[in-house]
C-alpha cells in the first residue's frame, strides 16, 4: 500500500491542506508535479485550480484514489476531473475541516506513464481586504520528497492596483516555484497607503488639593505616518513635542477635577520612510543608546549577546528564535518583564518582551533603538496577537539605519507567531504608532492607558478610512505682544506667538516680523520646525531705537504663508 502526503500549512490564515493519495504504490515509486492557480476575484474570494501530474517510476503500479483534507470549512464548489471526465467527489465536514474523497477514473500502468487530474474549489480564506490594502498570504510549503515540482500562479483583478510589496521574494511577478515557497511564507500586498480613523478617550483626574498640570500623548507624525487631528475636546493650553517626536497635549486641572479628553481624526500610513517628515530627525542622540528601565544594556548577559549578534538583522533573528509567545499572559492585563526577565523566561514572552530584548541588545551594541506602542490591525489573534485586546494595543521596536539615515520599524513578535512572515525588511501598513519610547522606556503613556476608575472602559476605537477623511485644514493665528511706547537707548522686547489652529502640523516653514518706525524698519525671519495642531511657539524680538517713539509711530506686521496681520495699538 502506498501513501503519499503533501502538507501545505497556511501560516497566516490557520489554513492547511493534507493530501493522502492511497494506491497500490509505495513511497518513492512515483513523482508528482503541481501546477496551482489562484484566480482572485474583486471581493477577495479565490478560485483555486490544482493540476496534479503523477508519474509512475515502475511499470506495474498505478494510483487509484485520493483523500484530500482541507483545513477549513470555508471551501465551496468543489469538483474534480481527469482526461476521461468528471471524478466523483465525496465531501464531508468535521471539526472545521473539509474532507474530499475521490476515486480516479483511469488506471495508468507503465514506467514513466503519467496520470493527470484536477481539483477545483472556491475559498474566501486566501485574501484579506483591509481598508485600502489587499493582502494575499501564501503559506510555507512542507512537501514530501516525491513532490519534485510545485508551481503557483496568482491572477488578480486590475482594480487591486500596484504591488506594494512581496516578501520575502524580491520580484514583481506573481509566479512562484517550489524553492520560493518551501523556505518561508510569502506575503503580498496591493495598494499605496492605509488610512485609519481614530476616536481616543483620555480620563484625567487631579486627586490633589492644589491645581495640577498634566499631559496626554496623542498620535504623532512620524516618518511613515501623517496625522489629521480634527478635534480635541477640551482644548489644551498648549501642545508640545518631546525628544521622540511625541505630541503632548497640556492641561491644567483644578483640585479634585476630572475631565474626559476626546481626540478624533485620521492617520495616513505609508510604506517608505520620509526622511524630511516631522519626527524623523527626533532622537538621533546618545539617549537612544542609554540604559533604561526594562532595557538592561549594562548587564553582562545582554553585553555578551551584543558582542555575538552585531547587526540589527542578527539581533532580530536571535530574538525571533529564542522567545516563545505565551498566549495565556494576554488573557489578563500582563506585567511587563523587561529584557533580563525575558531572557530568564524565554518560553513566556509577549510583544513587550520581544521589543525590550531587541532594544536592549541593540543599544548595548551601539545601535540606536526605541519602542513603538500603538494600534495593530489583526484578523487573526493567534497569528498576529495583541498585548491588550480591549484597546487593540501592540508594541514593536525600531532601529536607526545609519546607512540611509532613517528609522526602521520591525516586528519580531509577529514574525515569530506567523511562523516566519518577514517583518524585518518590510513591516506592513497594519501598524499605527500612538506613542514612541526612546528617551524613556515607559513614558509617555499611549492612548488606552488613561482609564477611568473602573479600568474597564474601551478608550481606543480605530477603523479603516479613505481619502475623503484626509481633509487638510491649515490655519494659524499670529499675535504680537510688546510695549506701546518705545524709549530711545533701551532694548525693546516684542514676543511673536504663532499658534496652529489647523488639523495638521505646521512644519519646515518660516514666519516673518517687521517693525516699521520713522527711523528704520527691522525685519526678522523665524524658523518653524514643527508646530502640532493646538500647539504654538513664541519668539523674542529685541531692538534698541535711537529715538523715542509713540504708539502711532510704530507699525508691526507679522507674515506667515503670505498672510499678514497688524498689531492693534
Amino acid at each position: 500500500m502506498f501513501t503519499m502526503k503533501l502538507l501545505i500549512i497556511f501560516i497566516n490564515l490557520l489554513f492547511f491542506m493534507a493530501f493522502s493519495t492511497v494506491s497500490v504504490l509505495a513511497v518513492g515509486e512515483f513523482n508528482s508535479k503541481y501546477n496551482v492557480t489562484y484566480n482572485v476575484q474583486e471581493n477577495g474570494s479565490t478560485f483555486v485550480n490544482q493540476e496534479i501530474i503523477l508519474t509512475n517510476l515502475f511499470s506495474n503500479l498505478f494510483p487509484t484514489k485520493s483523500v484530500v483534507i482541507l483545513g477549513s470549512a470555508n471551501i465551496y464548489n468543489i469538483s474534480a476531473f481527469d482526461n476521461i471526465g468528471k471524478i466523483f467527489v465525496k465531501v464531508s465536514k468535521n471539526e472545521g475541516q473539509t474532507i474530499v474523497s475521490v476515486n480516479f477514473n483511469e488506471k495508468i500502468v507503465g514506467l514513466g506513464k503519467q496520470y493527470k487530474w484536477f481539483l477545483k474549489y472556491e475559498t474566501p480564506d486566501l485574501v484579506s481586504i483591509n481598508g485600502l490594502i489587499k493582502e494575499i498570504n501564501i503559506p510555507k510549503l512542507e512537501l514530501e520528497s516525491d513532490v519534485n515540482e510545485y508551481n503557483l500562479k496568482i491572477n488578480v483583478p486590475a482594480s487591486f492596483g500596484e504591488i506594494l510589496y512581496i516578501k520575502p521574494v524580491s520580484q514583481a511577478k506573481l509566479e512562484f516555484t517550489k524553492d520560493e515557497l518551501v523556505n518561508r511564507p510569502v506575503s503580498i500586498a496591493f495598494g499605496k497607503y492605509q488610512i485609519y480613523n481614530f476616536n481616543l478617550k483620555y480620563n484625567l483626574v487631579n486627586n490633589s488639593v492644589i491645581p495640577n498640570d498634566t499631559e496626554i500623548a496623542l498620535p504623532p507624525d512620524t516618518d511613515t505616518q501623517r496625522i489629521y487631528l480634527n478635534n480635541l475636546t477640551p482644548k489644551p493650553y498648549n501642545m508640545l513635542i518631546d525628544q521622540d517626536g511625541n505630541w503632548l497635549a497640556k492641561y491644567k486641572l483644578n483640585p479634585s477635577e476630572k475631565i474626559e479628553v476626546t481626540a478624533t481624526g485620521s492617520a495616513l500610513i505609508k510604506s517608505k520612510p520620509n526622511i524630511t517628515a516631522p519626527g524623523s530627525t527626533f532622537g538621533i542622540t546618545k539617549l537612544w543608546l542609554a540604559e533604561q528601565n526594562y532595557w538592561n544594556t549594562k548587564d553582562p548577559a545582554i553585553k555578551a549577546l551584543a558582542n555575538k549578534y552585531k547587526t540589527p538583522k542578527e539581533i532580530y533573528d536571535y530574538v525571533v528564535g529564542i522567545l516563545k509567545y505565551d498566549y495565556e499572559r494576554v488573557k489578563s492585563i500582563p506585567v511587563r518583564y523587561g529584557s533580563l526577565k525575558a531572557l530568564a523566561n524565554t518560553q513566556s514572552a509577549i510583544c513587550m518582551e520581544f521589543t525590550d530584548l531587541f532594544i536592549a541588545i541593540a543599544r548595548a551594541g551601539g545601535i540606536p533603538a526605541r519602542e513603538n506602542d500603538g494600534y495593530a490591525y489583526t484578523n487573526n489573534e493567534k497569528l498576529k496577537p495583541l498585548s491588550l485586546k480591549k484597546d487593540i494595543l501592540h508594541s514593536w521596536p525600531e532601529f536607526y539605519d545609519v546607512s540611509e539615515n532613517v528609522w526602521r520599524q520591525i516586528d519580531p513578535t509577529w514574525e515569530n507567531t506567523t511562523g516566519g512572515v518577514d517583518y524585518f525588511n518590510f513591516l506592513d501598513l497594519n501598524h499605527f504608532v500612538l506613542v514612541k519610547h526612546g528617551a524613556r522606556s515607559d513614558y509617555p503613556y499611549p492612548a488606552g492607558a488613561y482609564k477611568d476608575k473602573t479600568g474597564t472602559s474601551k478608550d481606543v476605537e480605530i477603523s479603516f478610512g479613505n481619502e475623503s477623511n484626509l481633509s487638510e485644514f491649515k490655519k494659524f493665528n499670529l499675535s504680537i505682544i510688546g510695549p506701546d511706547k518705545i524709549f530711545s537707548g533701551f532694548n525693546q522686547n516684542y514676543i511673536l506667538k504663532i499658534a496652529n489652529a489647523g488639523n495638521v502640523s505646521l512644519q519646515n516653514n518660516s514666519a516673518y516680523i517687521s517693525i516699521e518706525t520713522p527711523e528704520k524698519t527691522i525685519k526678522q525671519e523665524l524658523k518653524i520646525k514643527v508646530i502640532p495642531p493646538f500647539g504654538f511657539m513664541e519668539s523674542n524680538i529685541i531692538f534698541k531705537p535711537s529715538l523715542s517713539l509713540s504708539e502711532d509711530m510704530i507699525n508691526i506686521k507679522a507674515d506667515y504663508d503670505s498672510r499678514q496681520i497688524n498689531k492693534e495699538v
Side-chain angles (χ1 to χ4, degrees):
M1 181 69 66
F2 167 80
T3 300
M4 174 280 224
K5 293 183 179 179
L6 168 65
L7 181 62
I8 305 177
I9 302 178
F10 279 70
I11 296 293
N12 280 33
L13 302 172
L14 286 183
F15 180 91
F16 73 93
M17 298 179 181
F19 291 87
S20 297
T21 304
V22 182
S23 69
V24 297
L25 297 177
V27 173
E29 295 181 341
F30 75 90
N31 286 331
S32 57
K33 174 181 178 180
Y34 288 78
N35 295 317
V36 182
T37 304
Y38 294 168
N39 293 306
V40 180
Q41 309 303 299
E42 292 277 354
N43 63 358
S45 184
T46 302
F47 293 100
V48 180
N49 182 11
Q50 297 195 33
E51 177 191 64
I52 302 104
I53 303 172
L54 306 178
T55 301
N56 287 350
L57 300 180
F58 290 84
S59 59
N60 59 342
L61 302 175
F62 58 88
T64 60
K65 60 183 178 179
S66 174
V67 176
V68 180
I69 301 175
L70 307 176
S72 172
N74 294 323
I75 305 294
Y76 310 101
N77 301 322
I78 302 171
S79 64
F81 60 93
D82 59 14
N83 291 327
I84 293 180
K86 186 176 181 180
I87 299 175
F88 175 76
V89 175
K90 181 181 178 182
V91 179
S92 61
K93 307 281 185 177
N94 183 34
E95 296 182 351
Q97 295 180 332
T98 301
I99 302 171
V100 181
S101 301
V102 298
N103 290 303
F104 298 141
N105 292 325
E106 293 183 283
K107 296 179 175 60
I108 306 297
V109 182
L111 177 64
K113 294 292 185 179
Q114 293 184 336
Y115 178 72
K116 181 189 298 185
W117 69 288
F118 300 86
L119 177 66
K120 293 185 176 183
Y121 57 89
E122 180 181 359
T123 177
D125 287 346
L126 292 176
V127 180
S128 57
I129 300 178
N130 307 318
L132 301 178
I133 302 299
K134 290 86 174 176
E135 295 180 325
I136 300 176
N137 295 292
I138 306 172
K140 175 174 62 177
L141 296 182
E142 296 184 5
L143 305 177
E144 292 285 356
S145 58
D146 289 349
V147 181
N148 61 325
E149 189 172 348
Y150 189 97
N151 303 303
L152 173 63
K153 181 179 180 180
I154 303 175
N155 300 316
V156 301
S159 62
F160 273 33
E162 61 188 64
I163 297 174
L164 179 64
Y165 61 77
I166 301 178
K167 56 182 186 181
V169 182
S170 57
Q171 63 181 36
K173 63 178 183 177
L174 299 179
E175 297 181 4
F176 305 90
T177 64
K178 171 185 173 181
D179 291 340
E180 293 169 331
L181 297 175
V182 296
N183 294 322
R184 63 192 311 173
V186 174
S187 181
I188 309 168
F190 299 82
K192 294 182 178 180
Y193 45 76
Q194 187 64 279
I195 298 172
Y196 294 104
N197 297 329
F198 59 84
N199 187 333
L200 310 175
K201 294 180 181 179
Y202 304 77
N203 297 282
L204 305 180
V205 59
N206 179 13
N207 294 317
S208 175
V209 295
I210 60 174
N212 188 22
D213 274 15
T214 189
E215 62 189 15
I216 61 173
L218 296 164
D221 283 342
T222 73
D223 49 10
T224 56
Q225 72 181 34
R226 175 74 161 156
I227 298 300
Y228 298 74
L229 186 58
N230 297 326
N231 182 63
L232 184 59
T233 305
K235 290 181 172 56
Y237 72 81
N238 196 7
M239 181 96 80
L240 302 179
I241 297 181
D242 70 6
Q243 293 168 301
D244 288 296
N246 293 307
W247 292 2
L248 303 179
K250 311 286 286 188
Y251 289 91
K252 295 183 183 292
L253 272 65
N254 293 320
S256 302
E257 183 180 8
K258 294 188 297 184
I259 64 172
E260 181 183 86
V261 180
T262 301
T264 59
S266 300
L268 172 67
I269 313 294
K270 293 186 176 181
S271 59
K272 295 182 179 179
N274 177 8
I275 61 174
T276 64
S280 61
T281 58
F282 285 93
I284 313 305
T285 72
K286 62 182 180 180
L287 290 176
W288 273 230
L289 297 173
E291 183 172 63
Q292 289 283 339
N293 187 27
Y294 303 116
W295 304 331
N296 310 95
T297 58
K298 297 179 181 179
D299 185 85
I302 298 296
K303 285 184 176 181
L305 292 171
N307 288 329
K308 183 176 182 180
Y309 305 105
K310 297 183 180 300
T311 69
K313 185 61 165 65
E314 289 175 347
I315 300 169
Y316 176 88
D317 289 341
Y318 168 76
V319 171
V320 170
I322 195 66
L323 298 183
K324 182 178 180 180
Y325 197 89
D326 186 352
Y327 292 90
E328 292 298 316
R329 284 183 59 200
V330 296
K331 292 181 179 180
S332 59
I333 298 178
V335 175
R336 186 176 179 180
Y337 285 172
S339 58
L340 280 184
K341 194 173 180 181
L343 275 179
N345 297 271
T346 57
Q347 301 301 298
S348 181
I350 58 175
C351 62
M352 294 183 287
E353 283 69 56
F354 282 87
T355 299
D356 288 339
L357 186 56
F358 176 89
I359 293 173
I361 300 173
R363 288 192 173 198
I367 302 170
R370 57 187 181 182
E371 176 191 27
N372 294 288
D373 277 350
Y375 165 86
Y377 173 76
T378 178
N379 55 7
N380 189 314
E381 291 185 3
K382 183 69 175 177
L383 298 172
K384 300 178 182 180
L386 306 172
S387 59
L388 290 176
K389 295 183 179 181
K390 179 181 289 294
D391 285 318
I392 48 183
L393 296 183
H394 185 54
S395 69
W396 61 98
E398 64 182 12
F399 68 92
Y400 192 70
D401 185 343
V402 295
S403 65
E404 298 190 22
N405 296 321
V406 294
W407 286 97
R408 299 285 184 194
Q409 296 185 37
I410 57 179
D411 194 341
T413 306
W414 281 9
E415 175 141 351
N416 175 278
T417 54
T418 56
V421 175
D422 181 10
Y423 284 96
F424 181 87
N425 293 299
F426 198 105
L427 189 63
D428 61 21
L429 300 184
N430 296 325
H431 293 67
F432 169 24
V433 177
L434 298 180
V435 71
K436 289 182 178 288
H437 291 152
R440 290 180 57 179
S441 62
D442 52 6
Y443 190 83
Y445 308 121
Y450 305 79
K451 296 291 184 184
D452 60 19
K453 64 180 181 180
T454 68
T456 60
S457 59
K458 180 173 174 55
D459 298 333
V460 177
E461 295 182 359
I462 297 178
S463 60
F464 292 117
N466 53 54
E467 286 84 353
S468 65
N469 302 121
L470 302 184
S471 179
E472 189 171 288
F473 175 58
K474 286 188 175 181
K475 182 180 179 181
F476 56 89
N477 295 324
L478 301 177
S479 60
I480 303 171
I481 302 172
D484 294 333
K485 187 173 181 61
I486 297 176
F487 297 95
S488 65
F490 294 93
N491 286 334
Q492 308 298 315
N493 184 43
Y494 285 87
I495 299 175
L496 173 62
K497 180 179 179 180
I498 306 172
N500 185 353
N503 70 340
V504 295
S505 61
L506 302 177
Q507 49 188 275
N508 301 323
N509 289 295
S510 295
Y512 305 88
I513 185 170
S514 63
I515 303 175
E516 299 176 357
T517 72
E519 179 187 14
K520 61 181 176 180
T521 298
I522 299 173
K523 295 183 179 180
Q524 185 169 334
E525 179 182 2
L526 305 175
K527 293 291 186 180
I528 299 172
K529 187 176 182 181
V530 183
I531 306 179
F534 303 96
F536 66 84
M537 67 168 286
E538 293 180 335
S539 182
N540 291 329
I541 299 173
I542 300 174
F543 75 103
K544 182 189 291 186
S546 59
L547 300 174
S548 295
L549 305 171
S550 61
E551 62 182 13
D552 59 351
M553 301 172 66
I554 308 168
N555 184 28
I556 302 176
K557 295 180 179 180
D559 178 82
Y560 176 85
D561 195 23
S562 301
R563 306 178 193 182
Q564 293 187 345
I565 64 168
N566 291 313
K567 177 181 180 291
E568 296 181 359
V569 296

